[in-house]
Amino acid sequence: MSKVKMAKRNDFWQRNRLSDGYLLKKTILNYALKILRFLLMFGLCFLILQPILNKISVSIMATKDIFDSTINVVPRNFSTENIRLAVYLMDYPSALTNSLLISLSISLVQLISCTLVGYGFARFNFPFKKFLFACVILVIVIPPQTISTSLYLHFRYFDIFGIVSLINGDTANLRGSAIPYYLMSVGCMGLKNGLYIYLIRQFFRGIPKELEEAAYVDGCGTLSTFFRIMLPDAKPILTSCFLFSFVWQWTDNFYSGMFLGKTKLLSTELESLADTLGNYLADGKGTQQVSVGYVQQINSIGTLLVVTPLILLYLIAQRGFVESLSQTGIKM
């Protein structure tokens, strides 16, 4: 084995002499680039993982370790008591179930409606097409907070051309339920729906029209071509949009606080965790001052409880996403 290595080494230096030192310079440059890429990737990964690692460290500390200035990362006293407390305060099983059901169903509804609209923009010509697509761009640019008052009034006093008030004698109050979520998602006005329409439209525009024309020649109609030809090719972008939609719905507290009322979700429970902790510690004994360090510890645990299901979802979905890309000839 050593003879083989010596032969390769001698061959390298021989080729380097023949190239007037160019081979050595090229090899050094390649190794320098590899080291630079490693340092950049390590730095980026550290920036992403360091906050999560800090929260994990804080979550398993005993309360007295928080106020110990000699402890930096590794706790001296391990404890899961605060984790159990955070799970109790957030009513984690109920909030997790509600978040999973609502986020999953809303994401599916958004994916279906945005796929149909994006395909329509990419392949069909109809009146006011450019104007309507400009409205889609506005939905992306304008934050939803600017229309929060209109949304509140619209669903608080919901009526369709006076039909609801004609039947019931009064308008319908849809706040406190998930119905506004679904209505807005069906109408492509849900959270980030404009972005999904834009991405799906751009993807379909990149697919050659000859595929559809060949399907039409073979006797396929518009719907048959869409479901049998276009959708299988759109698996990568549909998977991406679904994951984006699920994650944004999972962490959203704007629409949740406006419409869902007392429905327990992980995002809303995390937002009110500090107040819940104060009320729990007071427990009818009057006002009790809660230390900032203890509140931050409980908030860190709550953040981990919210993020952990997303990490598990990513690990589960990554394999399916890579497989869908490989089916289209894209390699990762």
Side-chain angles (χ1 to χ4, degrees):
M1 189 66 182
S2 59
K3 293 182 179 180
V4 175
K5 290 183 179 179
M6 289 296 295
K8 289 183 178 179
R9 188 177 304 169
N10 293 332
D11 182 63
F12 172 81
W13 290 111
Q14 183 178 1
R15 288 187 290 116
N16 182 60
R17 284 194 299 270
L18 293 175
S19 63
D20 293 331
Y22 175 78
L23 181 60
L24 179 61
K25 295 179 182 178
K26 186 67 175 179
T27 303
I28 294 174
L29 180 61
N30 288 336
Y31 277 107
L33 291 176
K34 289 180 180 179
I35 294 173
L36 180 60
R37 283 198 298 267
F38 170 78
L39 293 176
L40 289 175
M41 293 300 297
F42 178 81
L44 291 174
C45 293
F46 180 78
L47 289 175
I48 295 172
L49 296 177
Q50 191 265 345
I52 298 178
L53 295 177
N54 282 345
K55 291 184 182 299
I56 294 175
S57 175
V58 171
S59 65
I60 59 177
M61 285 184 181
T63 305
K64 58 182 179 180
D65 286 354
I66 302 175
F67 307 100
D68 191 344
S69 59
T70 62
I71 296 176
N72 187 14
V73 177
V74 181
R76 183 173 291 116
N77 301 287
F78 292 89
S79 174
T80 59
E81 179 181 355
N82 291 319
I83 297 177
R84 292 194 295 269
L85 177 60
V87 169
Y88 171 75
L89 294 178
M90 294 178 66
D91 194 5
Y92 192 73
S94 176
L96 177 64
T97 303
N98 293 336
S99 297
L100 183 62
L101 292 176
I102 292 178
S103 298
L104 183 61
S105 59
I106 291 294
S107 299
L108 290 175
V109 172
Q110 287 184 348
L111 185 64
I112 293 172
S113 59
C114 292
T115 301
L116 294 174
V117 174
Y119 180 72
F121 276 118
R123 283 295 190 257
F124 299 105
N125 293 319
F126 47 88
F128 305 108
K129 176 181 177 179
K130 293 183 178 179
F131 171 76
L132 293 175
F133 189 71
C135 293
V136 172
I137 302 300
L138 288 178
V139 171
I140 301 175
V141 174
I142 298 176
Q145 287 80 4
T146 57
I147 58 173
S148 58
T149 304
S150 300
L151 290 176
Y152 176 86
L153 294 175
H154 179 68
F155 289 109
R156 171 61 181 84
Y157 305 99
F158 185 77
D159 200 355
I160 303 177
F161 304 115
I163 297 176
V164 177
S165 57
L166 180 64
I167 297 176
N168 297 331
D170 195 6
T171 57
N173 181 11
L174 299 183
R175 292 190 69 249
S177 67
I179 296 178
Y181 256 160
Y182 293 104
L183 291 178
M184 294 180 65
S185 298
V186 170
C188 294
M189 278 297 294
L191 185 63
K192 308 292 184 180
N193 279 185
L195 177 62
Y196 308 146
I197 293 174
Y198 178 80
L199 294 175
I200 294 172
R201 178 235 188 199
Q202 294 302 110
F203 186 89
F204 280 129
R205 289 189 65 183
I207 297 178
K209 292 185 178 180
E210 288 76 11
L211 290 176
E212 292 174 292
E213 294 174 356
Y216 294 150
V217 171
D218 290 338
C220 290
T222 302
L223 289 178
S224 179
T225 302
F226 174 70
F227 286 107
R228 299 177 62 181
I229 305 299
M230 303 303 288
L231 279 186
D233 288 340
K235 285 181 180 179
I237 191 63
L238 296 182
T239 304
S240 300
C241 289
F242 174 80
L243 292 177
F244 285 141
S245 176
F246 186 89
V247 171
W248 275 321
Q249 291 291 338
W250 188 272
T251 58
D252 172 64
N253 53 27
F254 175 72
Y255 288 115
S256 302
M258 179 179 295
F259 298 129
L260 297 184
K262 297 182 179 180
T263 303
K264 291 186 177 182
L265 300 175
L266 290 179
S267 57
T268 55
E269 292 298 310
L270 177 62
E271 187 180 18
S272 61
L273 185 57
D275 295 333
T276 307
L277 176 63
N279 296 332
Y280 172 79
L281 293 178
D283 195 21
K285 300 177 182 178
T287 304
Q288 180 174 342
Q289 187 68 26
V290 184
S291 64
V292 176
Y294 189 53
V295 172
Q296 290 179 349
Q297 183 186 29
I298 298 298
N299 279 330
S300 297
I301 296 172
T303 304
L304 286 177
L305 292 175
V306 174
V307 172
T308 300
L310 295 180
I311 296 175
L312 295 176
L313 173 67
Y314 170 76
L315 295 176
I316 294 173
Q318 186 183 30
R319 182 176 179 181
F321 179 61
V322 172
E323 289 178 354
S324 65
L325 289 178
S326 61
Q327 291 176 2
T328 59
I330 301 175
K331 297 181 179 179
M332 292 188 65

